[in-house]
Amino acid sequence: MTTRNLAVVAAGVGAPSSTRMLADRLSAAAIEALRDEFGTQVQASVFELRDTAKDVTNNLVTGFPSPRLADVIEAVAGADGLIIVTPVFNASFNGLFKSFLDVIEPSALTGLPTLIGATGGSPRHSQVLDYAMRPVLTYMHADVLPTGVYAATEDWAGQADASLPSLPDRIARAGREFAARVAVTDRSSRLTDPFALDGSFSVTGGFSAE
Amino acid sequence: MQFGVFSVSDITPDPTTGVTPSEGERIKAAIAIAKKTEEVGMDVYAVGEHHNPPFFSSSPTTLLAAIAAQTERLVVSTATTLITTNDPVKIAEDFAMLQHVSDGRVDLMLGRGNTGPVYPWFGKDIRSGIQLAIENYALLHQLWREDVVDWEGHFRTPLQGFTSTPRPLDGVPPFVWHGSIRSPEIAEQAAYYGDGFFANHIFWPASHTQRMIALYRQRFAHYGHGEEKDAIVGLGGQLYLAKNSQDAKREFRPYFDNAPVYGHGPTLEEFSEQTPLAVGSPQEIIDKVLGFREYVGDYQRQMFLMDHAGLPLSSVLKQLDLLGEEVIPVLRRELDARRAPGVPDVPTHASLVAANGGARDFRPGANRGDNLTDGSPYQTPVEA
């Protein structure tokens, strides 16, 4: 049975956090789908960014991560799939979410199947997935799934709008679609040594030094 | 094993007094620090290159020439010389001149620089940083080794029949270090030429430094310059010391907390744990520096950042005295005792001349007025 590495990142700042709750639900759905539909085992690492909030800020100032933050970055960069969830603050992702992306090498997420989620007080912020999260992750060349999951406060209490799929239904769908992408990627086995040189690199600048 | 002091030449307000030294004061302080470096028994003084305030060091060879004139045995060096935005021809000329006036007490370290606008100010593109470092050094290397150079590259106007003068002292170029924090291309370049590799070591965790140096050693052996242990490795570091640990931390904390490079981020304690920063008693400094060897192997040069973040000259000189009395002798003894047999020292002018089969003294022949068709006056150098 094959194994895939999953990184789950929740940018919530409260404890307990509904953002963490959504991240857990999404990862459970993905793990279940990977197991049942693709026969794939999952090694999941879950991170709440609030635990490294100071490290993220310090990294912005000093230019290097603390060992604890380096572990998070390494797990994310080396994953076969990323589930990343942010709360909505002032109509966008929160600062911690963006600061975390800012301390990652721009190429670290290239080709990484990514499932985005967001939580907010009102359903009116649901487009944050597409106008805020998606562009920044696309810029980083992550492979962002078309389906994301937004959970407003009222979604946690039964069915907010009976004409629409419920939150559990949306989570299950996103989990299945994400699992299909993660199941076929061989990303974690293809990761190159960060010290490897580009094939076109010439140590003498293209002409003989002697 | 060589020990030295390197400076980034920042002019920073002293956070304990609010006083900002003048450029003149800082430049004279650099000379005083370099003289003290020699006086307390250390080997090297190096200064960086910057072209923007608050740094004063835009002309390292001029400053280093003054320092060489006022010292006896100190090696003067740079940390770093910008191989990206300087003309390699001018670097060849400046450092050959410094070699002559200092009787060979010079080496230099090449780097790409980390201030974005410097590139456009000098007509270069930062996105070509690595390519500039590679091509410009290839030309510099050639200019110092061939009396008459024909050359063509991407970044500089071609040269036909060009002789860089003065020729290097005794026919051997200064030893070159390549400095890089994060670019494996630069470790590869150092390895290819059999030059030294310097890991700044200050801002990045030890695990990263360890991997960069391991790569350099491996590639050094690959290119046939010797075994991995024969590679010439330098490390940066920074320290603040006082007779006892508590005083060192208390005295340094306001400087650390406000330092432009790392202030307002991690605490002094966190930063000390994660990087080579050593703040404490002489024994604590000794223990920390001895630890470097455990992850990079036997290395040849250890440089310390001492005069930054607004620390006043009096404090720097006091620390250098303490360093020379209580730290350096112990480090020399301990590192020598632990050193694997056969590990080479940093090449000096004398050792490079010996390896080259003796000194050459260049005397230009009569200039026949036409370097292109008639040959350069350097074409057939007259042996002394």
Side-chain angles (χ1 to χ4, degrees):
Chain A
M1 200 179 239
T2 52
T3 301
R4 291 283 183 271
N5 298 322
L6 206 60
V8 183
V9 173
V13 289
S17 140
S18 58
T19 300
R20 168 69 193 261
M21 204 148 71
L22 178 59
D24 284 343
R25 296 268 171 141
L26 289 169
S27 66
I31 290 167
E32 189 185 315
L34 276 160
R35 188 191 58 217
D36 296 350
E37 295 178 32
F38 300 95
T40 301
Q41 290 282 42
V42 176
Q43 190 96 37
S45 310
V46 185
F47 304 101
E48 283 199 56
L49 291 183
R50 77 186 302 274
D51 296 338
T52 51
K54 220 172 127 231
D55 306 72
V56 169
T57 311
N58 286 346
N59 190 350
L60 291 170
V61 174
T62 62
F64 69 86
S66 67
R68 185 166 54 176
L69 178 59
D71 287 346
V72 182
I73 293 172
E74 199 183 333
V76 169
D80 294 301
L82 169 68
I83 295 172
I84 189 162
V85 186
T86 180
V88 175
F89 284 13
N90 287 340
S92 187
F93 41 65
N94 71 356
L96 187 54
F97 171 90
K98 182 59 165 55
S99 294
F100 175 68
L101 294 181
D102 286 349
V103 298
I104 296 180
E105 289 284 329
S107 62
L109 306 187
T110 302
L112 175 61
T114 299
L115 171 58
I116 53 179
T119 57
S122 149
R124 284 186 294 275
H125 287 306
S126 64
Q127 285 295 310
V128 77
L129 294 170
D130 295 308
Y131 67 67
M133 295 182 83
R134 189 178 300 280
V136 70
L137 288 160
T138 302
Y139 172 80
M140 296 177 82
H141 299 293
D143 177 9
V144 187
L145 256 81
T147 301
V149 177
Y150 179 84
T153 305
E154 61 203 66
D155 281 314
W156 299 102
Q159 198 149 343
D161 183 337
S163 66
L164 296 172
S166 69
L167 179 60
D169 290 345
R170 287 183 279 133
I171 288 171
R173 174 184 162 189
R176 277 194 311 274
E177 291 178 10
F178 178 63
R181 294 285 303 117
V182 173
V184 296
T185 186
D186 58 348
R187 190 176 182 277
S188 66
S189 61
R190 277 191 295 111
L191 287 176
T192 52
D193 177 356
F195 287 75
L197 296 175
D198 187 281
S200 65
F201 174 75
S202 158
V203 80
T204 59
F207 58 89
S208 171
E210 295 294 345
Chain B
M1 182 72 182
Q2 293 183 337
F3 292 94
V5 168
F6 68 149
S7 174
V8 290
S9 84
D10 61 308
I11 302 178
T12 304
D14 182 334
T16 65
T17 61
V19 174
T20 305
S22 73
E23 289 182 323
E25 283 165 348
R26 279 288 283 139
I27 291 166
K28 290 291 188 182
I31 296 175
I33 290 165
K35 287 163 77 172
K36 178 63 90 175
T37 302
E38 174 173 276
E39 188 191 313
V40 303
M42 294 166 76
D43 311 288
V44 194
Y45 177 83
V47 66
E49 175 184 343
H50 291 279
H51 297 276
N52 53 308
F55 306 100
F56 66 75
S57 180
S58 54
S59 299
T61 55
T62 309
L63 178 64
L64 294 175
I67 290 169
Q70 298 177 55
T71 51
E72 298 288 326
R73 44 163 209 87
L74 190 70
V75 172
V76 292
S77 188
T78 55
T80 61
T81 292
L82 304 183
I83 187 64
T84 44
T85 51
N86 281 304
D87 182 356
V89 170
K90 193 71 173 91
I91 296 177
E93 294 169 340
D94 283 345
F95 281 87
M97 182 65 83
L98 181 57
Q99 235 194 340
H100 279 271
V101 302
S102 67
D103 296 316
R105 285 188 286 129
V106 58
D107 55 34
L108 70 157
M109 190 199 302
L110 300 175
R112 286 180 292 135
N114 61 3
T115 311
V118 170
Y119 283 80
W121 285 334
F122 286 87
K124 301 289 190 276
D125 185 340
I126 195 167
R127 293 168 298 183
S128 306
I130 293 276
Q131 293 96 315
L132 282 161
I134 296 296
E135 179 177 299
N136 284 349
Y137 180 63
L139 173 56
L140 173 63
H141 192 266
Q142 196 176 352
L143 289 169
W144 274 339
R145 285 164 178 82
E146 293 176 21
D147 297 336
V148 183
V149 168
D150 291 347
W151 177 89
E152 198 173 336
H154 298 293
F155 295 109
R156 192 197 187 285
T157 199
L159 298 167
Q160 306 294 347
F162 180 77
T163 299
S164 143
T165 63
R167 301 304 300 143
L169 178 65
D170 298 326
V172 292
F175 185 69
V176 170
W177 302 82
H178 301 264
S180 180
I181 297 178
R182 66 167 90 188
S183 305
E185 292 91 342
I186 301 303
E188 183 81 10
Q189 181 185 33
Y192 174 80
Y193 291 99
D195 293 339
F197 181 71
F198 186 89
N200 178 315
H201 197 213
I202 286 185
F203 300 122
W204 278 57
S207 57
H208 183 87
T209 301
Q210 179 177 26
R211 291 182 66 191
M212 282 289 272
I213 290 182
L215 172 68
Y216 161 64
R217 287 188 187 281
Q218 191 192 337
R219 301 302 289 171
F220 181 93
H222 166 83
Y223 286 116
H225 301 295
E227 296 176 40
E228 293 188 11
K229 71 172 174 52
D230 299 329
I232 307 295
V233 172
L235 287 186
Q238 53 187 336
L239 53 82
Y240 186 95
L241 78 170
K243 283 277 181 194
N244 69 64
S245 190
Q246 293 78 3
D247 286 345
K249 290 200 171 62
R250 181 177 48 76
E251 289 166 20
F252 188 57
R253 194 178 302 278
Y255 295 94
F256 177 88
D257 286 348
N258 292 289
V261 284
Y262 43 56
H264 314 292
T267 63
L268 177 57
E269 284 73 13
E270 286 167 337
F271 203 84
S272 302
E273 195 184 304
Q274 292 167 19
T275 77
L277 172 64
V279 180
S281 66
Q283 190 55 51
E284 287 173 303
I285 307 289
I286 290 166
D287 291 344
K288 180 123 187 181
V289 175
L290 286 177
F292 299 165
R293 183 188 161 278
E294 283 164 28
Y295 57 84
V296 301
D298 287 315
Y299 63 108
Q300 284 83 355
R301 178 177 283 184
Q302 174 65 55
M303 302 294 279
F304 295 118
L305 179 60
M306 305 288 296
D307 72 331
H308 63 135
L311 283 162
L313 176 62
S314 58
S315 159
V316 176
L317 296 179
K318 197 168 89 181
Q319 287 185 73
L320 283 170
D321 276 326
L322 199 52
L323 195 61
E325 280 161 33
E326 300 195 21
V327 175
I328 301 297
V330 181
L331 284 176
R332 280 195 202 284
R333 194 176 63 232
E334 293 294 323
L335 288 169
D336 278 351
R338 290 163 202 211
R339 190 150 85 150
V343 172
D345 290 323
V346 178
T348 60
H349 184 70
S351 76
L352 291 169
V353 168
N356 203 35
R360 289 171 79 193
D361 190 10
F362 284 82
R363 293 156 200 257
N367 193 333
R368 283 152 292 182
D370 182 352
N371 285 348
L372 291 181
T373 57
D374 243 0
S376 155
Y378 286 87
Q379 198 85 64
T380 49
V382 180
E383 302 284 343

